[in-house]
Amino acid sequence: MNCSIACKFMFAKLFWMTKLSNSNEADPLSAAFDYEAASEAAYSLGLAGRRVERTLAALRDCHGDADQRDRWLKLAATAVHHYFIQREILGLRRHESVIRDYEIPGEVLARLGAK
């Protein structure tokens, strides 16, 4: 999945969600804040998505040591968990397309939230 495209999509969606929900469109400070908040949310989601990509790639490339693979498995599960939480905060509660697009393995999903 191309995070820059996903980030731009999320930014556009968040921007228009805040613009439409803003009852006082005549207030330029409120509009500026909404724009900045949407921008920060999209940026943060993009960072979390890139973290998921990096940890999943490292997990796929790890073929040797079982301890090393377990370490990457935990890191990937943590990254995916954080990404899902960020999506849910933004109102995106369905993760099926993300699981498919990032090709998140079942062994990672099984460890979500586990310490």
Side-chain angles (χ1 to χ4, degrees):
M1 177 177 203
N2 187 338
C3 275
S4 62
I5 292 172
C7 207
K8 288 176 186 175
F9 170 76
M10 279 306 305
F11 174 74
K13 180 177 179 177
L14 291 170
F15 176 74
W16 287 109
M17 283 172 45
T18 56
K19 186 152 180 71
L20 293 174
S21 68
N22 190 354
S23 60
N24 187 6
E25 290 185 6
D27 181 9
L29 290 176
S30 179
F33 175 78
D34 290 343
Y35 180 85
E36 288 297 320
S39 176
E40 288 297 320
Y43 178 75
S44 179
L45 188 65
L47 285 177
R50 283 189 289 281
R51 205 170 298 123
V52 168
E53 287 178 339
R54 283 194 312 267
T55 57
L56 289 176
L59 177 63
R60 287 184 190 108
D61 293 341
C62 187
H63 299 293
D65 185 20
D67 290 336
Q68 185 75 359
R69 178 165 173 70
D70 190 53
R71 180 178 167 271
W72 281 112
L73 187 57
K74 288 177 186 176
L75 289 171
T78 300
V80 169
H81 189 226
H82 291 170
Y83 184 65
F84 283 0
I85 290 170
Q86 281 216 267
R87 286 177 45 86
E88 289 173 6
I89 289 170
L90 297 173
L92 303 168
R93 304 214 180 337
R94 300 185 62 97
H95 305 298
E96 294 86 4
S97 63
V98 172
I99 293 168
R100 183 181 57 250
D101 291 344
Y102 281 109
E103 299 175 357
I104 301 172
E107 63 184 337
V108 171
L109 295 173
R111 291 182 178 226
L112 292 185
K115 291 281 178 180

